[in-house]
């Protein structure tokens, strides 16, 4: 994408649009109840087979861009130990569906899983008894989901002789352990050892064991791990114990020591060595020493609740901001016990999705409380098969989803739709700006990369929700402040009854490339901002909508509504049948200015505002120059506007004739496309 140059006041602010990087987290997906047969991955696989991890397992590092397991391979069903071991140890990628109870022989056997594997239970029928899985040095991109792994216990509570774990990894990376029931093993339930890193452990039940979950056992401080939404109960120690982890992010976990049982907790979350831990919105019930740390370790606690606990509860030092690595959404601490009692562990069948499904489900549901198929919007997007040929509606229940969302170009025909009674009920929000540093140190996001929601897929629709960028300009005066809420770089984008809210550069209507057509139709919506907040090179219509002008961070009123960057011989931005208003000073806003992106003189920016009510905030000379380019050399005009901000034709205020206006209707912008809600 070309550079976006503009003046903030009088000085130029330069942002370099970069591709948005979004955590592809699926925190709460559904699993199959039927028994899939082997199926080539080139067919449209069901959602559970294409799921990708969230948290640190989603980070692009060590040559692995996130964790998605065996989605590029065949889907196979196994019911015997021989078949499970055959596919799990193969060099090719596989999605392996465990559809029976498989007993390990000998007891304590740990199958040596190879890279690029998804091992997933079919409903609640997938069980591994008497052993587990081992991921050795260099093994990567592995998902273990929806399984019960149990009963390798050999009769000795603190067993020093039998290293029988449910899942053990030594030097592995990019591993996702999700929605499993792990219990009653001879040693630990999960061991993340010997510099294993980029691991996410989510929505599991860990119980009936001496040692629940160990992390580390190395002098090197390299492990990055996310532990969220796990129910840890009736375990004595390592809940987890985290040794020399570079970044340990623990949130929304439920640690429960049940009174009156013969298993008593020794300690809860433990930061050892040089560990840096962030511990958020977790619930501790009845635990002894719920949070402890070595003098050399750091723990930052936020929003945790302790009920009936005793002994050490410690914090101190400095840790890190997880959001510099990935997006995530916190559930309320008070909701955690009920949420995990109902949502952790293997899930039974939802619907009839099987490996023979030819397209994603007609509707995928997103809900933070675990009542949907997914708990983040991006997780649902990830579940849409690449190259899908029919409409997939992602229905998002009311709530605030603080995350980055990207709909890639290979996933057309997607609708993201709020299911509440109002577009205010469902909010997708984030706060990156052009000058926000990227977590990997490779520079800043740039204007395009700052978007909360980025749409690169054709035939996209958004409906009945709010998309926002709440970047705090006042608090970050030292960086470039363009902060996009919604970026579109696709054709046939339909925005219906939504709110797009921000400050500078709210709505970026772009195209996939300069020579590609990109049409955007916005209807019955609100667009809110102050500087160039409807901008880009797309052929874009704002119809029957409200454009709300917003004061600057310092309370002043000054701004620009549009900044088209239209290619020659293309249609630019059309505002029709709408209203421009807002709590700003009179005569303080321009209708627009020409953005010649990157100084490209071949561009011919166009903006037309017609049949629209303009408040007194609009200047009497409503167009202005930009970055050395005169608006008079490009295409700016009005037609039959009304309101206190409207004005008669003049050299500074060109008006279309009736004849000219017949060629600048909404239908002229849309061409052969008629937007519909189908």
């Amino acid at each position: 994408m070309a550079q976006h140059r503009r003046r903030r006041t009088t000085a130029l602010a330069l942002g370099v649009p970069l591709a948005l990087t979004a955590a592809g987290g699926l925190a709460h997906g559904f699993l199959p109840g039927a028994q899939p047969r082997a199926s080539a991955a080139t067919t449209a696989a069901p959602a559970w087979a294409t799921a990708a991890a969230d948290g640190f397992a989603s980070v692009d590092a060590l040559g692995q861009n996130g964790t998605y397991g065996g989605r590029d391979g065949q889907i196979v069903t196994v019911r015997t130990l021989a078949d499970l071991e055959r596919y799990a140890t193969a060099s090719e990628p596989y999605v392996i569906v465990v559809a029976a109870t498989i007993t390990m022989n000998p007891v304590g056997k740990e199958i040596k899983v190879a890279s690029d594997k998804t091992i997933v239970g079919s409903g609640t029928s997938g069980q591994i008894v008497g052993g587990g899985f081992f991921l050795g040095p260099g093994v990567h991109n592995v998902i273990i989901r929806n399984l019960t792994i149990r009963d390798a216990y050999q009769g000795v509570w603190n067993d020093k002789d039998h290293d029988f774990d449910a899942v053990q990894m030594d030097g592995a990376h990019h591993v996702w352990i999700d929605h499993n029931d792990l219990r009653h093993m001879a040693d630990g339930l999960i061991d993340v050892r010997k510099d294993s890193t980029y691991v996410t452990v989510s929505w599991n039940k860990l119980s009936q064991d001496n040692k629940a979950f160990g992390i580390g056992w190395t002098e090197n401080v390299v492990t990055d791990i996310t532990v969220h939404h796990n129910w840890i109960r009736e375990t004595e120690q390592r809940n987890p114990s985290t040794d020399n982890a570079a970044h340990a992010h623990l949130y929304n976990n439920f640690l429960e020591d049940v009174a009156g049982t013969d298993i008593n907790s020794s300690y809860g979350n433990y930061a050892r060595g040089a560990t840096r831990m962030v511990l958020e919105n977790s619930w501790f019930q009845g635990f002894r020493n719920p949070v402890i740390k070595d003098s050399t370790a750091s723990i930052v606690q936020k929003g945790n609740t302790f009920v009936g606990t005793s002994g050490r509860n410690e914090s101190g030092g400095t840790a890190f901001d997880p959001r510099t690595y990935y997006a995530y959404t916190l559930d309320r601490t008070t909701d955690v016990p009920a949420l995990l009692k109902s949502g952790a562990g293997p899930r039974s069948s939802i619907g009839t999705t099987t490996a023979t499904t030819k397209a994603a489900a007609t509707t995928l549901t997103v809900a933070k409380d675990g009542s949907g198929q997914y708990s983040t919007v991006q997780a649902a997007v990830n579940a849409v098969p690449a190259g899908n040929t029919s409409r997939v509606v992602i229905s998002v229940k009311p709530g605030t989803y603080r995350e980055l969302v990207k709909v890639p170009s290979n996933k057309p025909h997607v609708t993201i739709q709020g299911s509440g009674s109002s577009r205010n009920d469902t909010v997708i929000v984030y706060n990156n700006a052009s000058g926000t540093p990227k977590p990997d140190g490779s520079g800043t996001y740039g204007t395009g990369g700052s978007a909360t929601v980025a749409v690169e897929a054709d035939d996209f629709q958004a409906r009945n929700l709010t998309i926002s960028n709440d970047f705090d300009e006042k608090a970050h005066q030292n960086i470039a402040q363009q902060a996009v809420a919604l970026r579109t770089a696709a054709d046939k984008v339909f925005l219906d009854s939504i709110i797009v809210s921000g400050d500078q550069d709210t709505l970026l209507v772009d195209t996939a490339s300069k020579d590609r057509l990109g049409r955007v139709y916005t209807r019955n919506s609100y667009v809110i901002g102050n500087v160039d907040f409807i901008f880009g090179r797309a052929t874009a219509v704002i119809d029957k909508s409200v454009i709300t002008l917003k004061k600057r961070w310092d309370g002043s009123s000054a701004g620009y509504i549009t900044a088209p960057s239209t290619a020659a011989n293309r249609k630019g931005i059309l505002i029709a049948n709408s209203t421009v208003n807002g709590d700003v000073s009179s005569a303080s806003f321009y209708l627009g200015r020409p953005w010649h992106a990157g100084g490209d003189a071949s561009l011919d920016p166009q903006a037309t505002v017609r049949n629209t009510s303009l408040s007194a905030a609009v200047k009497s000379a409503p167009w202005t120059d930009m970055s050395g380019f005169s608006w008079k050399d490009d295409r700016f005009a009005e037609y039959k506007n009304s309101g206190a901000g409207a004005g008669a034709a003049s050299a500074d205020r060109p008006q279309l004739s009736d004849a000219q206006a017949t060629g600048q209707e909404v239908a002229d912008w849309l061409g052969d496309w008629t937007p519909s809600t189908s």
Side-chain angles (χ1 to χ4, degrees):
M1 192 186 304
Q3 292 180 333
H4 188 179
R5 297 178 179 268
R6 81 279 311 274
R7 295 181 180 90
R8 188 178 181 283
T9 51
T10 57
L12 283 176
L14 175 61
V16 181
L18 299 174
L20 175 143
T21 56
L26 167 61
H28 206 173
F30 69 88
L31 281 298
Q35 298 174 351
R37 57 183 173 80
S39 174
T42 52
T43 63
W48 51 265
T50 59
D54 62 358
F56 272 114
S58 71
V59 173
D60 185 353
L62 301 179
Q64 178 65 37
N65 189 3
T67 303
Y68 47 84
R71 73 179 184 195
D72 296 328
Q74 287 186 314
I75 302 172
V76 295
T77 297
V78 300
R79 298 177 178 83
T80 67
L81 175 58
D83 283 344
L84 174 59
E85 189 164 19
R86 170 192 170 193
Y87 289 113
T89 60
S91 58
E92 303 88 356
Y94 281 104
V95 175
I96 304 164
V97 182
V98 181
T101 297
I102 295 176
T103 301
M104 291 298 190
N105 186 16
V107 173
K109 179 182 181 67
E110 294 179 358
I111 292 176
K112 295 180 178 179
V113 180
S115 300
D116 304 318
K117 301 293 182 295
T118 295
I119 305 174
V120 57
S122 176
T124 57
S125 65
Q127 300 199 28
I128 308 297
V129 178
F133 299 101
F134 176 79
L135 282 64
V139 170
H140 59 276
N141 192 30
V142 173
I143 296 173
I144 298 174
R145 302 187 78 195
N146 216 56
L147 292 167
T148 296
I149 306 177
R150 60 179 174 85
D151 295 327
Y153 184 63
Q154 295 297 289
V156 178
W157 181 241
N158 193 358
D159 198 333
K160 304 292 187 181
D161 297 321
H162 299 99
D163 185 16
F164 299 165
D165 301 312
V167 181
Q168 178 176 313
M169 58 191 82
D170 286 1
H173 67 92
H174 287 90
V175 180
W176 184 27
I177 303 172
D178 178 72
H179 274 101
N180 301 289
D181 181 352
L182 311 175
R183 52 185 157 91
H184 210 222
M185 301 297 285
D187 189 47
L189 300 176
I190 303 173
D191 272 358
V192 180
R193 312 191 316 172
K194 299 182 180 179
D195 298 341
S196 294
T197 191
Y198 298 109
V199 176
T200 296
V201 178
S202 57
W203 295 96
N204 301 284
K205 292 198 293 188
L206 288 76
S207 65
Q208 301 175 36
D209 214 76
N210 179 22
K211 304 166 188 173
F213 185 178
I215 302 165
W217 286 270
T218 175
E219 296 301 314
N220 303 319
V221 185
V222 299
T223 297
D224 287 352
I225 187 166
T226 304
V227 181
H228 74 85
H229 290 94
N230 298 282
W231 184 13
I232 303 174
R233 64 186 301 272
E234 296 308 281
T235 55
E236 183 174 326
Q237 57 179 315
R238 300 184 186 173
N239 294 299
S241 171
T242 308
D243 183 39
N244 284 326
H247 304 99
H249 183 204
L250 282 59
Y251 69 93
N252 284 145
N253 296 299
F254 177 31
L255 276 67
E256 182 183 25
D257 186 343
V258 180
T261 69
D262 58 359
I263 301 176
N264 297 309
S265 56
S266 173
Y267 60 85
N269 296 164
Y270 186 2
R272 303 170 55 173
T275 291
R276 293 192 295 164
M277 179 183 292
V278 175
L279 174 58
E280 301 183 277
N281 286 33
S282 291
W283 186 286
F284 296 80
Q285 182 86 36
F287 251 74
R288 299 178 184 177
N289 304 309
V291 183
I292 61 177
K293 64 182 282 297
D294 290 350
S295 61
T296 52
S298 297
I299 298 179
V300 173
Q301 288 202 45
K302 304 176 183 178
N304 301 303
T305 295
F306 301 88
V307 177
T309 60
S310 61
R312 296 164 64 184
N313 184 355
E314 300 169 339
S315 61
T318 58
F320 61 98
D321 181 2
R323 287 192 169 90
T324 63
Y325 297 90
Y326 53 81
Y328 67 101
T329 301
L330 288 169
D331 286 304
R332 296 185 306 175
T333 312
T334 54
D335 295 339
V336 165
L339 183 63
L340 295 189
K341 286 179 180 180
S342 64
R347 307 193 70 189
S348 58
S349 173
I350 299 177
T352 57
T353 304
T354 69
T356 58
T357 303
K358 294 185 178 180
T362 301
T363 300
L364 306 177
T365 57
V366 176
K368 291 175 60 180
D369 63 3
S371 62
Q373 294 162 289
Y374 308 96
S375 63
T376 66
V377 179
Q378 185 63 52
V381 173
N382 293 344
V384 177
N388 59 296
T389 58
S390 59
R391 176 68 52 190
V392 179
V393 176
I394 297 173
S395 179
V396 187
K397 292 189 177 182
T400 298
Y401 298 79
R402 180 163 286 276
E403 60 174 303
L404 299 173
V405 177
K406 180 178 180 180
V407 184
S409 60
N410 64 350
K411 296 190 177 186
H413 319 302
V414 168
T415 296
I416 300 177
Q417 178 172 302
S419 65
S421 59
S422 163
R423 61 193 124 200
N424 293 294
D425 292 344
T426 303
V427 180
I428 305 172
V429 60
Y430 211 70
N431 61 347
N432 282 336
S434 176
T436 301
K438 288 179 153 185
D440 62 4
S442 62
T444 59
Y445 280 99
T447 301
S450 72
T452 299
V453 175
V455 176
E456 298 177 355
D458 291 345
D459 195 20
F460 172 85
Q461 299 184 6
R463 187 168 294 110
N464 195 41
L465 51 77
T466 294
I467 299 171
S468 178
N469 190 316
D470 63 354
F471 171 71
D472 187 344
E473 291 187 350
K474 183 177 181 180
H476 299 283
Q477 285 292 293
N478 60 327
I479 65 173
Q481 299 199 323
Q482 298 93 334
V484 177
L486 173 61
R487 173 175 70 92
T488 68
D491 190 30
K492 299 181 180 179
V493 175
F494 185 13
L495 310 175
D496 184 23
S497 298
I498 70 170
I499 299 171
V500 189
S501 179
D503 287 303
Q504 183 173 352
D505 289 9
T506 303
L507 175 59
L508 170 51
V509 286
D510 205 357
T511 65
S513 62
K514 183 180 175 181
D515 61 348
R516 293 277 299 277
L517 177 64
R519 289 167 290 182
V520 181
Y521 180 59
T522 303
R523 180 182 72 181
N524 298 330
S525 295
Y526 290 81
V527 184
I528 303 168
N530 50 37
V531 176
D532 301 337
F533 63 97
I534 302 171
F535 73 109
R537 66 185 171 206
T539 296
V541 177
I542 311 293
D543 188 23
K544 300 174 184 175
S545 296
V546 177
I547 297 168
T548 301
L549 311 179
K550 188 177 180 182
K551 289 182 178 178
R552 307 295 291 276
W553 66 270
D554 59 0
S556 63
S557 297
Y560 316 84
I561 297 174
T562 66
S565 188
T566 323
N569 301 315
R570 284 268 167 80
K571 300 287 189 183
I573 295 172
L574 172 65
I575 298 172
N577 313 306
S578 295
T579 297
V580 174
N581 62 21
D583 183 18
V584 297
S585 301
S586 296
S588 60
F589 271 75
Y590 291 97
L591 290 178
R593 55 183 181 166
W595 173 33
H596 284 257
D600 187 349
S602 71
L603 299 177
D604 190 14
Q606 180 184 30
T608 297
V609 181
R610 60 173 296 163
N611 305 104
T612 289
S613 174
L614 306 179
S615 77
V618 176
K619 290 176 175 285
S620 59
W623 311 104
T624 190
D625 302 338
M626 184 178 187
S627 302
F629 289 91
S630 171
W631 70 269
K632 294 183 178 180
D633 295 332
D634 294 309
R635 297 174 289 168
F636 294 87
E638 297 176 77
Y639 180 70
K640 291 190 175 180
N641 292 322
S642 60
S650 70
D652 291 325
R653 193 155 200 171
Q655 305 282 330
L656 299 175
S657 68
D658 290 344
Q660 290 171 327
T662 61
Q664 294 201 32
E665 303 276 3
V666 170
D668 298 306
W669 254 249
L670 301 182
D672 62 357
W673 172 44
T674 302
S676 72
T677 58
S678 61

